[in-house]
Amino acid sequence: MFAEQPQHERWEMASVVDLDSQKLPDVALDREGYATAVAANDNKHLAADADLLRTAVLDNFATGGTNTGSKVFAPTKASKRQVKVHSDAATRFGDKGTSVFDGADNRFTDAYALKTADGGALIVFAHTHTQTDAVAHSGLQLNPGKGDRAWLHDVPRTSITYTFVCNDAATVPAKAEPSRLIGYTCARTDASGPPVPSWSHRA
């Protein structure tokens, strides 16, 4: 997705999302053949806006879609994958630890919407969530993986909070029906957590 940056007077890539299918919904074109941009938020002509979609995505991760996710989204590969991330995390450590997802401060609040031929919209938006892994009791520790050493070095931790920034894409109908999450892309942007006490004493 490209957006015009007024301060530079040029178009720049604003968002990239991995889609589950190469087939996009038909986008409504104007008389010159350009895609038709519409408001991504507070748009009364759509069943959901970017803020509601973001809430539903966060719920998929945090609760497996129990509160908002399953109400806003029809089951798709992308939404099922987010729910699976939640359910896999719940059993990941067995009785030795926990893994919990939560929403986080999102600096990337811009959202982009194109009108589709059926009167709905294709909406691209971003969200930020955390995943906090923690040991169940003292005597256990989490050892940072190779991909986390930039933040955590080789210091064992009692808990680790990972931050992810994600881009999401959904198709939204004009009538009161569920939306469809058609893809998302996440990247880890931070990791932090307290060292195990024995390491703190050594430091």
Side-chain angles (χ1 to χ4, degrees):
M1 187 72 70
F2 288 82
E4 190 173 14
Q5 306 298 326
Q7 66 271 35
H8 307 304
E9 294 186 355
R10 65 184 181 198
W11 290 81
E12 295 179 356
M13 186 176 288
S15 182
V16 177
V17 185
D18 290 327
L19 301 178
D20 289 327
S21 169
Q22 293 180 337
K23 187 176 184 325
L24 282 170
D26 291 330
V27 173
L29 304 179
D30 64 18
R31 272 185 266 180
E32 277 92 38
Y34 291 104
T36 307
V38 293
N41 275 312
D42 300 321
N43 189 331
K44 296 188 175 16
H45 300 292
L46 297 174
D49 65 8
D51 287 340
L52 181 58
L53 296 173
R54 188 178 290 116
T55 298
V57 163
L58 289 169
D59 185 57
N60 280 347
F61 283 105
T63 74
T66 303
N67 299 322
T68 316
S70 59
K71 294 178 181 67
V72 171
F73 292 122
T76 60
K77 281 184 188 174
S79 58
K80 286 177 182 176
R81 201 160 54 248
Q82 290 178 345
V83 169
K84 187 173 186 307
V85 169
H86 167 82
S87 59
D88 287 353
T91 58
R92 183 171 160 211
F93 296 115
D95 61 357
K96 294 190 168 36
T98 58
S99 189
V100 177
F101 292 87
D102 202 357
D105 287 342
N106 181 34
R107 292 170 34 222
F108 308 100
T109 55
D110 289 346
Y112 308 93
L114 297 176
K115 186 176 182 180
T116 49
D118 60 4
L122 168 64
I123 299 183
V124 177
F125 58 99
H127 82 270
T128 304
H129 71 260
T130 59
Q131 173 186 341
T132 301
D133 296 344
V135 298
H137 55 78
S138 60
L140 298 174
Q141 64 186 43
L142 296 167
N143 298 314
K146 193 158 118 183
D148 304 317
R149 287 182 186 149
W151 297 292
L152 303 170
H153 311 290
D154 284 318
V155 180
R157 313 279 169 159
T158 54
S159 71
I160 300 173
T161 297
Y162 304 97
T163 301
F164 297 87
V165 174
C166 309
N167 289 329
D168 308 86
T171 55
V172 179
K175 46 194 173 185
E177 290 178 356
S179 299
R180 295 178 57 81
L181 188 70
I182 60 173
Y184 70 96
T185 306
C186 290
R188 189 162 50 229
T189 59
D190 192 21
S192 62
V196 296
S198 56
W199 186 275
S200 301
H201 295 151
R202 261 183 289 166

PDB file of all heavy atoms in Angstrom, residues 65-99:
ATOM      1  N   GLY A  65     -10.032 -15.224  20.119  1.00  0.00           N
ATOM      2  CA  GLY A  65     -11.214 -14.700  19.424  1.00  0.00           C
ATOM      3  C   GLY A  65     -12.494 -14.773  20.217  1.00  0.00           C
ATOM      4  O   GLY A  65     -13.579 -14.523  19.687  1.00  0.00           O
ATOM      5  N   THR A  66     -12.405 -15.066  21.508  1.00  0.00           N
ATOM      6  CA  THR A  66     -13.611 -15.276  22.329  1.00  0.00           C
ATOM      7  C   THR A  66     -14.507 -14.045  22.405  1.00  0.00           C
ATOM      8  O   THR A  66     -15.725 -14.154  22.342  1.00  0.00           O
ATOM      9  CB  THR A  66     -13.201 -15.677  23.766  1.00  0.00           C
ATOM     10  OG1 THR A  66     -12.383 -16.840  23.686  1.00  0.00           O
ATOM     11  CG2 THR A  66     -14.410 -15.972  24.617  1.00  0.00           C
ATOM     12  N   ASN A  67     -13.941 -12.867  22.554  1.00  0.00           N
ATOM     13  CA  ASN A  67     -14.753 -11.674  22.797  1.00  0.00           C
ATOM     14  C   ASN A  67     -15.172 -10.949  21.521  1.00  0.00           C
ATOM     15  O   ASN A  67     -16.350 -10.733  21.287  1.00  0.00           O
ATOM     16  CB  ASN A  67     -13.997 -10.704  23.716  1.00  0.00           C
ATOM     17  CG  ASN A  67     -13.695 -11.319  25.058  1.00  0.00           C
ATOM     18  OD1 ASN A  67     -14.506 -12.048  25.600  1.00  0.00           O
ATOM     19  ND2 ASN A  67     -12.513 -11.068  25.590  1.00  0.00           N
ATOM     20  N   THR A  68     -14.193 -10.559  20.713  1.00  0.00           N
ATOM     21  CA  THR A  68     -14.486  -9.751  19.526  1.00  0.00           C
ATOM     22  C   THR A  68     -14.121 -10.457  18.232  1.00  0.00           C
ATOM     23  O   THR A  68     -14.824 -10.334  17.232  1.00  0.00           O
ATOM     24  CB  THR A  68     -13.703  -8.410  19.583  1.00  0.00           C
ATOM     25  OG1 THR A  68     -13.803  -7.861  20.882  1.00  0.00           O
ATOM     26  CG2 THR A  68     -14.255  -7.413  18.584  1.00  0.00           C
ATOM     27  N   GLY A  69     -13.016 -11.175  18.248  1.00  0.00           N
ATOM     28  CA  GLY A  69     -12.485 -11.766  17.023  1.00  0.00           C
ATOM     29  C   GLY A  69     -13.479 -12.618  16.270  1.00  0.00           C
ATOM     30  O   GLY A  69     -13.674 -12.456  15.064  1.00  0.00           O
ATOM     31  N   SER A  70     -14.160 -13.536  16.973  1.00  0.00           N
ATOM     32  CA  SER A  70     -15.093 -14.440  16.299  1.00  0.00           C
ATOM     33  C   SER A  70     -16.381 -13.739  15.882  1.00  0.00           C
ATOM     34  O   SER A  70     -17.112 -14.243  15.031  1.00  0.00           O
ATOM     35  CB  SER A  70     -15.422 -15.634  17.207  1.00  0.00           C
ATOM     36  OG  SER A  70     -15.991 -15.178  18.415  1.00  0.00           O
ATOM     37  N   LYS A  71     -16.666 -12.580  16.472  1.00  0.00           N
ATOM     38  CA  LYS A  71     -17.869 -11.825  16.091  1.00  0.00           C
ATOM     39  C   LYS A  71     -17.606 -10.960  14.858  1.00  0.00           C
ATOM     40  O   LYS A  71     -18.469 -10.795  14.006  1.00  0.00           O
ATOM     41  CB  LYS A  71     -18.337 -10.960  17.257  1.00  0.00           C
ATOM     42  CG  LYS A  71     -18.821 -11.747  18.465  1.00  0.00           C
ATOM     43  CD  LYS A  71     -19.214 -10.825  19.601  1.00  0.00           C
ATOM     44  CE  LYS A  71     -19.685 -11.605  20.813  1.00  0.00           C
ATOM     45  NZ  LYS A  71     -18.619 -12.388  21.445  1.00  0.00           N
ATOM     46  N   VAL A  72     -16.406 -10.397  14.776  1.00  0.00           N
ATOM     47  CA  VAL A  72     -16.083  -9.479  13.667  1.00  0.00           C
ATOM     48  C   VAL A  72     -15.643 -10.243  12.424  1.00  0.00           C
ATOM     49  O   VAL A  72     -15.994  -9.865  11.301  1.00  0.00           O
ATOM     50  CB  VAL A  72     -14.984  -8.482  14.107  1.00  0.00           C
ATOM     51  CG1 VAL A  72     -14.478  -7.659  12.927  1.00  0.00           C
ATOM     52  CG2 VAL A  72     -15.526  -7.564  15.198  1.00  0.00           C
ATOM     53  N   PHE A  73     -14.876 -11.333  12.608  1.00  0.00           N
ATOM     54  CA  PHE A  73     -14.302 -12.050  11.472  1.00  0.00           C
ATOM     55  C   PHE A  73     -14.994 -13.375  11.198  1.00  0.00           C
ATOM     56  O   PHE A  73     -15.264 -14.150  12.122  1.00  0.00           O
ATOM     57  CB  PHE A  73     -12.811 -12.340  11.708  1.00  0.00           C
ATOM     58  CG  PHE A  73     -11.943 -11.122  11.703  1.00  0.00           C
ATOM     59  CD1 PHE A  73     -11.161 -10.810  12.805  1.00  0.00           C
ATOM     60  CD2 PHE A  73     -11.884 -10.287  10.599  1.00  0.00           C
ATOM     61  CE1 PHE A  73     -10.342  -9.694  12.811  1.00  0.00           C
ATOM     62  CE2 PHE A  73     -11.071  -9.163  10.591  1.00  0.00           C
ATOM     63  CZ  PHE A  73     -10.305  -8.865  11.694  1.00  0.00           C
ATOM     64  N   ALA A  74     -15.232 -13.645   9.912  1.00  0.00           N
ATOM     65  CA  ALA A  74     -15.579 -14.994   9.482  1.00  0.00           C
ATOM     66  C   ALA A  74     -14.299 -15.828   9.557  1.00  0.00           C
ATOM     67  O   ALA A  74     -13.198 -15.279   9.460  1.00  0.00           O
ATOM     68  CB  ALA A  74     -16.108 -14.958   8.045  1.00  0.00           C
ATOM     69  N   PRO A  75     -14.413 -17.138   9.746  1.00  0.00           N
ATOM     70  CA  PRO A  75     -13.194 -17.965   9.806  1.00  0.00           C
ATOM     71  C   PRO A  75     -12.455 -17.954   8.455  1.00  0.00           C
ATOM     72  O   PRO A  75     -13.036 -18.278   7.430  1.00  0.00           O
ATOM     73  CB  PRO A  75     -13.721 -19.363  10.122  1.00  0.00           C
ATOM     74  CG  PRO A  75     -15.110 -19.165  10.635  1.00  0.00           C
ATOM     75  CD  PRO A  75     -15.627 -17.929   9.991  1.00  0.00           C
ATOM     76  N   THR A  76     -11.203 -17.540   8.471  1.00  0.00           N
ATOM     77  CA  THR A  76     -10.344 -17.571   7.279  1.00  0.00           C
ATOM     78  C   THR A  76      -9.013 -18.185   7.693  1.00  0.00           C
ATOM     79  O   THR A  76      -8.755 -18.372   8.888  1.00  0.00           O
ATOM     80  CB  THR A  76     -10.080 -16.158   6.724  1.00  0.00           C
ATOM     81  OG1 THR A  76      -9.424 -15.380   7.740  1.00  0.00           O
ATOM     82  CG2 THR A  76     -11.372 -15.471   6.288  1.00  0.00           C
ATOM     83  N   LYS A  77      -8.154 -18.469   6.732  1.00  0.00           N
ATOM     84  CA  LYS A  77      -6.831 -19.014   7.065  1.00  0.00           C
ATOM     85  C   LYS A  77      -6.107 -18.089   8.028  1.00  0.00           C
ATOM     86  O   LYS A  77      -5.490 -18.523   9.002  1.00  0.00           O
ATOM     87  CB  LYS A  77      -5.992 -19.162   5.788  1.00  0.00           C
ATOM     88  CG  LYS A  77      -6.319 -20.359   4.953  1.00  0.00           C
ATOM     89  CD  LYS A  77      -5.335 -20.422   3.792  1.00  0.00           C
ATOM     90  CE  LYS A  77      -5.742 -21.500   2.812  1.00  0.00           C
ATOM     91  NZ  LYS A  77      -4.903 -21.504   1.608  1.00  0.00           N
ATOM     92  N   ALA A  78      -6.157 -16.775   7.737  1.00  0.00           N
ATOM     93  CA  ALA A  78      -5.414 -15.811   8.555  1.00  0.00           C
ATOM     94  C   ALA A  78      -5.963 -15.732   9.976  1.00  0.00           C
ATOM     95  O   ALA A  78      -5.206 -15.756  10.949  1.00  0.00           O
ATOM     96  CB  ALA A  78      -5.438 -14.435   7.901  1.00  0.00           C
ATOM     97  N   SER A  79      -7.274 -15.631  10.129  1.00  0.00           N
ATOM     98  CA  SER A  79      -7.834 -15.518  11.484  1.00  0.00           C
ATOM     99  C   SER A  79      -7.642 -16.830  12.258  1.00  0.00           C
ATOM    100  O   SER A  79      -7.354 -16.816  13.452  1.00  0.00           O
ATOM    101  CB  SER A  79      -9.310 -15.112  11.440  1.00  0.00           C
ATOM    102  OG  SER A  79     -10.072 -16.027  10.712  1.00  0.00           O
ATOM    103  N   LYS A  80      -7.768 -17.975  11.572  1.00  0.00           N
ATOM    104  CA  LYS A  80      -7.524 -19.257  12.245  1.00  0.00           C
ATOM    105  C   LYS A  80      -6.076 -19.381  12.687  1.00  0.00           C
ATOM    106  O   LYS A  80      -5.783 -19.957  13.742  1.00  0.00           O
ATOM    107  CB  LYS A  80      -7.873 -20.416  11.300  1.00  0.00           C
ATOM    108  CG  LYS A  80      -9.365 -20.624  11.107  1.00  0.00           C
ATOM    109  CD  LYS A  80      -9.599 -21.750  10.109  1.00  0.00           C
ATOM    110  CE  LYS A  80     -11.080 -21.955   9.856  1.00  0.00           C
ATOM    111  NZ  LYS A  80     -11.320 -22.976   8.824  1.00  0.00           N
ATOM    112  N   ARG A  81      -5.156 -18.824  11.895  1.00  0.00           N
ATOM    113  CA  ARG A  81      -3.734 -18.877  12.254  1.00  0.00           C
ATOM    114  C   ARG A  81      -3.478 -18.062  13.519  1.00  0.00           C
ATOM    115  O   ARG A  81      -2.720 -18.478  14.397  1.00  0.00           O
ATOM    116  CB  ARG A  81      -2.894 -18.369  11.082  1.00  0.00           C
ATOM    117  CG  ARG A  81      -1.460 -18.825  11.112  1.00  0.00           C
ATOM    118  CD  ARG A  81      -0.766 -18.750   9.761  1.00  0.00           C
ATOM    119  NE  ARG A  81      -0.833 -17.452   9.135  1.00  0.00           N
ATOM    120  CZ  ARG A  81      -1.531 -17.190   8.022  1.00  0.00           C
ATOM    121  NH1 ARG A  81      -2.224 -18.134   7.435  1.00  0.00           N
ATOM    122  NH2 ARG A  81      -1.536 -15.984   7.510  1.00  0.00           N
ATOM    123  N   GLN A  82      -4.120 -16.891  13.636  1.00  0.00           N
ATOM    124  CA  GLN A  82      -3.955 -16.075  14.845  1.00  0.00           C
ATOM    125  C   GLN A  82      -4.516 -16.804  16.067  1.00  0.00           C
ATOM    126  O   GLN A  82      -3.905 -16.800  17.140  1.00  0.00           O
ATOM    127  CB  GLN A  82      -4.643 -14.725  14.665  1.00  0.00           C
ATOM    128  CG  GLN A  82      -3.932 -13.826  13.662  1.00  0.00           C
ATOM    129  CD  GLN A  82      -4.638 -12.517  13.435  1.00  0.00           C
ATOM    130  OE1 GLN A  82      -5.799 -12.337  13.798  1.00  0.00           O
ATOM    131  NE2 GLN A  82      -3.933 -11.573  12.816  1.00  0.00           N
ATOM    132  N   VAL A  83      -5.672 -17.426  15.927  1.00  0.00           N
ATOM    133  CA  VAL A  83      -6.270 -18.181  17.028  1.00  0.00           C
ATOM    134  C   VAL A  83      -5.360 -19.339  17.422  1.00  0.00           C
ATOM    135  O   VAL A  83      -5.191 -19.649  18.611  1.00  0.00           O
ATOM    136  CB  VAL A  83      -7.682 -18.678  16.640  1.00  0.00           C
ATOM    137  CG1 VAL A  83      -8.212 -19.678  17.653  1.00  0.00           C
ATOM    138  CG2 VAL A  83      -8.634 -17.493  16.495  1.00  0.00           C
ATOM    139  N   LYS A  84      -4.735 -19.988  16.434  1.00  0.00           N
ATOM    140  CA  LYS A  84      -3.824 -21.104  16.716  1.00  0.00           C
ATOM    141  C   LYS A  84      -2.578 -20.627  17.471  1.00  0.00           C
ATOM    142  O   LYS A  84      -2.069 -21.321  18.353  1.00  0.00           O
ATOM    143  CB  LYS A  84      -3.422 -21.793  15.420  1.00  0.00           C
ATOM    144  CG  LYS A  84      -2.617 -23.080  15.632  1.00  0.00           C
ATOM    145  CD  LYS A  84      -2.386 -23.799  14.328  1.00  0.00           C
ATOM    146  CE  LYS A  84      -1.719 -25.150  14.521  1.00  0.00           C
ATOM    147  NZ  LYS A  84      -0.492 -25.143  15.298  1.00  0.00           N
ATOM    148  N   VAL A  85      -2.093 -19.423  17.145  1.00  0.00           N
ATOM    149  CA  VAL A  85      -0.959 -18.855  17.889  1.00  0.00           C
ATOM    150  C   VAL A  85      -1.321 -18.766  19.367  1.00  0.00           C
ATOM    151  O   VAL A  85      -0.536 -19.119  20.246  1.00  0.00           O
ATOM    152  CB  VAL A  85      -0.570 -17.468  17.334  1.00  0.00           C
ATOM    153  CG1 VAL A  85       0.407 -16.752  18.265  1.00  0.00           C
ATOM    154  CG2 VAL A  85       0.048 -17.590  15.943  1.00  0.00           C
ATOM    155  N   HIS A  86      -2.547 -18.310  19.644  1.00  0.00           N
ATOM    156  CA  HIS A  86      -3.015 -18.209  21.029  1.00  0.00           C
ATOM    157  C   HIS A  86      -3.091 -19.590  21.686  1.00  0.00           C
ATOM    158  O   HIS A  86      -2.584 -19.785  22.801  1.00  0.00           O
ATOM    159  CB  HIS A  86      -4.390 -17.538  21.068  1.00  0.00           C
ATOM    160  CG  HIS A  86      -5.070 -17.676  22.394  1.00  0.00           C
ATOM    161  ND1 HIS A  86      -4.792 -16.857  23.465  1.00  0.00           N
ATOM    162  CD2 HIS A  86      -6.002 -18.574  22.848  1.00  0.00           C
ATOM    163  CE1 HIS A  86      -5.509 -17.225  24.509  1.00  0.00           C
ATOM    164  NE2 HIS A  86      -6.253 -18.264  24.160  1.00  0.00           N
ATOM    165  N   SER A  87      -3.726 -20.552  21.019  1.00  0.00           N
ATOM    166  CA  SER A  87      -3.922 -21.869  21.641  1.00  0.00           C
ATOM    167  C   SER A  87      -2.601 -22.622  21.801  1.00  0.00           C
ATOM    168  O   SER A  87      -2.392 -23.311  22.800  1.00  0.00           O
ATOM    169  CB  SER A  87      -4.937 -22.699  20.840  1.00  0.00           C
ATOM    170  OG  SER A  87      -4.485 -22.882  19.520  1.00  0.00           O
ATOM    171  N   ASP A  88      -1.690 -22.483  20.830  1.00  0.00           N
ATOM    172  CA  ASP A  88      -0.382 -23.133  20.958  1.00  0.00           C
ATOM    173  C   ASP A  88       0.395 -22.570  22.144  1.00  0.00           C
ATOM    174  O   ASP A  88       1.078 -23.306  22.863  1.00  0.00           O
ATOM    175  CB  ASP A  88       0.438 -22.951  19.685  1.00  0.00           C
ATOM    176  CG  ASP A  88      -0.070 -23.816  18.537  1.00  0.00           C
ATOM    177  OD1 ASP A  88      -0.964 -24.658  18.767  1.00  0.00           O
ATOM    178  OD2 ASP A  88       0.402 -23.633  17.402  1.00  0.00           O
ATOM    179  N   ALA A  89       0.296 -21.241  22.332  1.00  0.00           N
ATOM    180  CA  ALA A  89       1.034 -20.606  23.434  1.00  0.00           C
ATOM    181  C   ALA A  89       0.516 -21.083  24.790  1.00  0.00           C
ATOM    182  O   ALA A  89       1.281 -21.196  25.741  1.00  0.00           O
ATOM    183  CB  ALA A  89       0.917 -19.089  23.332  1.00  0.00           C
ATOM    184  N   ALA A  90      -0.783 -21.365  24.866  1.00  0.00           N
ATOM    185  CA  ALA A  90      -1.377 -21.764  26.151  1.00  0.00           C
ATOM    186  C   ALA A  90      -0.800 -23.078  26.672  1.00  0.00           C
ATOM    187  O   ALA A  90      -0.773 -23.307  27.884  1.00  0.00           O
ATOM    188  CB  ALA A  90      -2.894 -21.879  25.995  1.00  0.00           C
ATOM    189  N   THR A  91      -0.340 -23.936  25.773  1.00  0.00           N
ATOM    190  CA  THR A  91       0.179 -25.245  26.208  1.00  0.00           C
ATOM    191  C   THR A  91       1.682 -25.385  25.976  1.00  0.00           C
ATOM    192  O   THR A  91       2.248 -26.448  26.221  1.00  0.00           O
ATOM    193  CB  THR A  91      -0.552 -26.364  25.440  1.00  0.00           C
ATOM    194  OG1 THR A  91      -0.362 -26.163  24.027  1.00  0.00           O
ATOM    195  CG2 THR A  91      -2.037 -26.364  25.739  1.00  0.00           C
ATOM    196  N   ARG A  92       2.302 -24.321  25.526  1.00  0.00           N
ATOM    197  CA  ARG A  92       3.705 -24.386  25.112  1.00  0.00           C
ATOM    198  C   ARG A  92       4.655 -24.860  26.202  1.00  0.00           C
ATOM    199  O   ARG A  92       5.552 -25.662  25.968  1.00  0.00           O
ATOM    200  CB  ARG A  92       4.105 -22.990  24.624  1.00  0.00           C
ATOM    201  CG  ARG A  92       5.490 -22.896  24.086  1.00  0.00           C
ATOM    202  CD  ARG A  92       5.682 -21.546  23.431  1.00  0.00           C
ATOM    203  NE  ARG A  92       7.094 -21.272  23.340  1.00  0.00           N
ATOM    204  CZ  ARG A  92       7.615 -20.073  23.385  1.00  0.00           C
ATOM    205  NH1 ARG A  92       6.850 -19.035  23.531  1.00  0.00           N
ATOM    206  NH2 ARG A  92       8.895 -19.900  23.283  1.00  0.00           N
ATOM    207  N   PHE A  93       4.473 -24.372  27.420  1.00  0.00           N
ATOM    208  CA  PHE A  93       5.402 -24.696  28.511  1.00  0.00           C
ATOM    209  C   PHE A  93       4.856 -25.766  29.452  1.00  0.00           C
ATOM    210  O   PHE A  93       5.504 -26.098  30.454  1.00  0.00           O
ATOM    211  CB  PHE A  93       5.733 -23.442  29.311  1.00  0.00           C
ATOM    212  CG  PHE A  93       6.471 -22.389  28.533  1.00  0.00           C
ATOM    213  CD1 PHE A  93       5.893 -21.148  28.278  1.00  0.00           C
ATOM    214  CD2 PHE A  93       7.744 -22.633  28.042  1.00  0.00           C
ATOM    215  CE1 PHE A  93       6.574 -20.180  27.556  1.00  0.00           C
ATOM    216  CE2 PHE A  93       8.438 -21.668  27.321  1.00  0.00           C
ATOM    217  CZ  PHE A  93       7.846 -20.436  27.074  1.00  0.00           C
ATOM    218  N   GLY A  94       3.655 -26.280  29.181  1.00  0.00           N
ATOM    219  CA  GLY A  94       3.051 -27.240  30.109  1.00  0.00           C
ATOM    220  C   GLY A  94       2.853 -26.589  31.464  1.00  0.00           C
ATOM    221  O   GLY A  94       2.352 -25.467  31.547  1.00  0.00           O
ATOM    222  N   ASP A  95       3.272 -27.286  32.540  1.00  0.00           N
ATOM    223  CA  ASP A  95       3.112 -26.718  33.887  1.00  0.00           C
ATOM    224  C   ASP A  95       4.353 -25.948  34.346  1.00  0.00           C
ATOM    225  O   ASP A  95       4.448 -25.533  35.487  1.00  0.00           O
ATOM    226  CB  ASP A  95       2.771 -27.821  34.892  1.00  0.00           C
ATOM    227  CG  ASP A  95       3.876 -28.883  34.979  1.00  0.00           C
ATOM    228  OD1 ASP A  95       4.872 -28.786  34.217  1.00  0.00           O
ATOM    229  OD2 ASP A  95       3.740 -29.796  35.815  1.00  0.00           O
ATOM    230  N   LYS A  96       5.292 -25.743  33.440  1.00  0.00           N
ATOM    231  CA  LYS A  96       6.543 -25.054  33.811  1.00  0.00           C
ATOM    232  C   LYS A  96       6.516 -23.547  33.544  1.00  0.00           C
ATOM    233  O   LYS A  96       7.427 -22.829  33.931  1.00  0.00           O
ATOM    234  CB  LYS A  96       7.716 -25.689  33.066  1.00  0.00           C
ATOM    235  CG  LYS A  96       7.973 -27.128  33.507  1.00  0.00           C
ATOM    236  CD  LYS A  96       9.276 -27.642  32.952  1.00  0.00           C
ATOM    237  CE  LYS A  96       9.726 -28.925  33.576  1.00  0.00           C
ATOM    238  NZ  LYS A  96       8.704 -29.879  33.937  1.00  0.00           N
ATOM    239  N   GLY A  97       5.475 -23.066  32.860  1.00  0.00           N
ATOM    240  CA  GLY A  97       5.431 -21.640  32.575  1.00  0.00           C
ATOM    241  C   GLY A  97       4.155 -21.252  31.858  1.00  0.00           C
ATOM    242  O   GLY A  97       3.295 -22.090  31.575  1.00  0.00           O
ATOM    243  N   THR A  98       4.039 -19.964  31.585  1.00  0.00           N
ATOM    244  CA  THR A  98       2.854 -19.429  30.908  1.00  0.00           C
ATOM    245  C   THR A  98       3.290 -18.547  29.746  1.00  0.00           C
ATOM    246  O   THR A  98       4.418 -18.031  29.717  1.00  0.00           O
ATOM    247  CB  THR A  98       2.001 -18.595  31.872  1.00  0.00           C
ATOM    248  OG1 THR A  98       2.817 -17.534  32.407  1.00  0.00           O
ATOM    249  CG2 THR A  98       1.438 -19.432  33.007  1.00  0.00           C
ATOM    250  N   SER A  99       2.376 -18.377  28.805  1.00  0.00           N
ATOM    251  CA  SER A  99       2.613 -17.484  27.672  1.00  0.00           C
ATOM    252  C   SER A  99       1.317 -16.735  27.407  1.00  0.00           C
ATOM    253  O   SER A  99       0.291 -17.342  27.102  1.00  0.00           O
ATOM    254  CB  SER A  99       3.032 -18.296  26.443  1.00  0.00           C
ATOM    255  OG  SER A  99       3.468 -17.452  25.397  1.00  0.00           O
TER     256      SER A  99
END
